[in-house]
Structures are given as structure tokens and as C-alpha cells.
Amino acid sequence: MKLRETRVWRALFRHPLPGSPKERISVITSALILHLHPARVKESAIKIRHTFCLGGITAFLFVLEMVTGVFLMFYYHPSPEHAYQDMEALREIVSFGVMRDLHRWAGHLMVITVFLHMVRVFITGAYKPPREFNWIVGVLLLVLTLSMSFTGYLLPWDQVSLWAVTVASNVAASLPFPGARTLLLGDHTVSGATLLRFYVLHCAALPLLAVILMALHFWRIRKDGGIAGPL
Ligand code: HEM
């Protein structure tokens, strides 16, 4: 039996194979996944070589970070007494400890793909009206991605992360906002209070903000008429 004649296929896709433009539009508007795109999109815009799916890959990596991150939360304690040992144990003895490496590598990759995605949007001129608002949302998402990466860096509580955060927080001290450094660290130096602060930012506050902004980003793409085609 052909796949398209099976009950499962028909349950998922209500419409027969499209013929007229009207039928094709109804296939798009009545399917959950296809409905991500507006009813009419430029063929050139959805070609893989136009976007390289970099935004989609970034979104996928974010979901991977959430899933692997939840696994890590079952084990990791955000306190100076336990953090480093927990991290070592995750690498050596804990079942599913591979989640830690996955989390780390996907995090690095996400920083690279979000940057490449921004470069692609810039090169194809997709930041121009009517998409300028979505460009601003994107800039916020870039800042959030870098902030998630930065806050996660301290959590292993090893020498590299301690000194990296010390250096970065000294940069914050040079900002024209008095108290920016203390607000970030929760103390005068990197301490247990900083670890807790970074943990909450990394696991709750920043991902929540990112989810809200991503929803806005995707909704805007849809409302701006789908992906902008080549100029
Ligand atoms: C977590 C970060 C981000 C995610 C998950 C994300 C996701 C996406 C996705 C899935 C698309 C559809 C096209 C594609 O796959 O390339 C898209 C389009 C777009 N993104 Fe992002 N994005 C992010 C960050 C950014 C950044 C940093 C910018 C720019 C500063 C940006 C600006 C845009 C614009 C203007 C569009 C519309 C492009 C077009 O119509 O061709 N995004 N984004």
C-alpha cells in the first residue's frame, strides 16, 4: 500500500495531493507543521542554500540544551563545596554523564550558529523593512545566547571558569553603571553567592526569556510574510 493511502497519513494530512493553487494553500493552512509558513512563500526563499537553516539549527540546539540541561540539574549542586566534584562525577561515573559533554558542545555550537545566522540575515538584506523589528528581537536573542554561555561557564567551578568570570566581571566594573559588578557577582569577588546567582540566571531566568523572545521571533517571521527571498 502506498504511504499516502495509509490511515496514519490521512489522519495527519487531511487534503489530497494538491492540484490548483487554492488546494495547495489549503494543504498549508490546515497542517500544523506546514502552517509554520504563510500560505504563499517564494520558492527561492525556502531553498536550503538561502538560509542554510541556520536559524532552525540554532533553535534545535536550544531545545537540545534544555533537554540535556534538565538531566544535569538532577545531579548538580550549585555550591562551592559540591559543584566541581559533581561535574567530575558527571564526566566519570554518573549514568547519562554524556549529557554534560552534549550540553557543553551544543552550547558552543549554538554560539557559532546564531552568529552565522545573523551574518546570513545581514548578507541577504533580510533585516530591511518590514523585518527591522525582528532584527532587533534577534539582537536580543544574540545577547541572551551569549549570556547563557557566559553564566554556564562558571558552573563547573574550576580555575578556568573562576578566573574567566573574574576578568569578565572586571569589565562590568568599567561600565558607566555604578554597582554593575556587585549586582552581577552578588559579592565583591567571585564567591558562592555568584555561583548561585549564575545558576539561577543560567537555568531559569535567561532560558525563560529566550523562549518568550523566540516565540515572538517565529511569530514575526510568519507575520512579515515568511522568510524574505533573495533581493
Ligand atoms: C536564539 C537565536 C535565534 C533563533 C533560534 C533564530 C531563529 C530563526 C529562524 C528559525 C528563522 C527562519 C529562517 C532561518 O532558519 O534562517 C529566523 C529568521 C530571522 N532571524 Fe533569527 N534566530 C535567532 C537569532 C537571530 C539574530 C541574532 C538575528 C539578527 C540580529 C536574527 C534575525 C532574524 C531575521 C531578520 C529573520 C528573518 C529572515 C528572513 O526573512 O530571511 N535572528 N530566525
Side-chain angles (χ1 to χ4, degrees):
M1 191 191 280
K2 283 189 184 153
L3 178 69
R4 290 208 168 96
E5 285 161 17
T6 58
R7 256 183 98 173
V8 177
W9 181 275
R10 286 202 194 150
L12 287 171
F13 305 101
R14 301 271 165 189
H15 288 267
L17 268 186
S20 67
K22 205 174 161 197
E23 276 170 349
R24 285 195 228 164
I25 287 175
S26 71
V27 170
I28 303 286
T29 51
S30 63
L32 177 68
I33 307 260
L34 297 178
H35 193 240
L36 285 174
H37 287 293
R40 286 164 188 270
V41 281
K42 287 187 195 148
E43 202 183 337
S44 49
I46 49 173
K47 286 225 164 86
I48 192 81
R49 269 180 298 139
H50 180 59
T51 61
F52 293 99
C53 203
L54 286 164
I57 295 172
T58 309
F60 167 76
L61 288 172
F62 179 72
V63 174
L64 190 63
E65 285 298 86
M66 303 261 268
V67 174
T68 51
V70 167
F71 272 92
L72 298 182
M73 283 174 83
F74 280 115
Y75 201 82
Y76 173 86
H77 299 80
S79 73
E81 294 77 38
H82 297 103
Y84 184 71
Q85 277 85 348
D86 287 353
M87 208 50 65
E88 285 280 279
L90 271 164
R91 291 172 64 185
E92 307 294 338
I93 41 178
V94 177
S95 328
F96 293 112
V98 67
M99 291 294 159
R100 198 244 160 183
D101 281 336
L102 258 178
H103 194 75
R104 199 176 172 94
W105 281 104
H108 291 325
L109 258 181
M110 191 178 158
V111 172
I112 296 171
T113 57
V114 74
F115 180 72
L116 292 178
H117 169 61
M118 188 176 73
V119 171
R120 190 288 292 173
V121 170
F122 182 74
I123 288 175
T124 57
Y127 57 86
K128 294 180 185 171
R131 295 179 174 78
E132 65 273 53
F133 175 71
N134 221 9
W135 173 266
I136 306 287
V137 177
V139 172
L140 295 177
L141 278 170
L142 176 74
V143 173
L144 273 178
T145 308
L146 296 178
S147 309
M148 285 188 282
S149 175
F150 175 60
T151 50
Y153 208 76
L154 183 66
L155 304 188
W157 202 248
D158 54 11
Q159 285 293 317
V160 184
S161 53
L162 251 144
W163 290 109
V165 172
T166 305
V167 172
S169 61
N170 284 340
V171 176
S174 63
L175 292 176
F177 309 113
R181 186 170 176 273
T182 322
L183 183 74
L184 188 70
L185 298 184
D187 208 338
H188 296 295
T189 52
V190 178
S191 69
T194 319
L195 183 57
L196 185 61
R197 201 158 276 210
F198 274 44
Y199 178 74
V200 175
L201 283 172
H202 185 76
C203 302
L206 297 175
L208 187 70
L209 262 177
V211 166
I212 295 170
L213 283 182
M214 269 184 220
L216 181 62
H217 197 57
F218 298 154
W219 177 77
R220 252 339 309 172
I221 296 170
R222 181 78 170 65
K223 290 291 159 190
D224 292 338
I227 298 158
L231 291 175

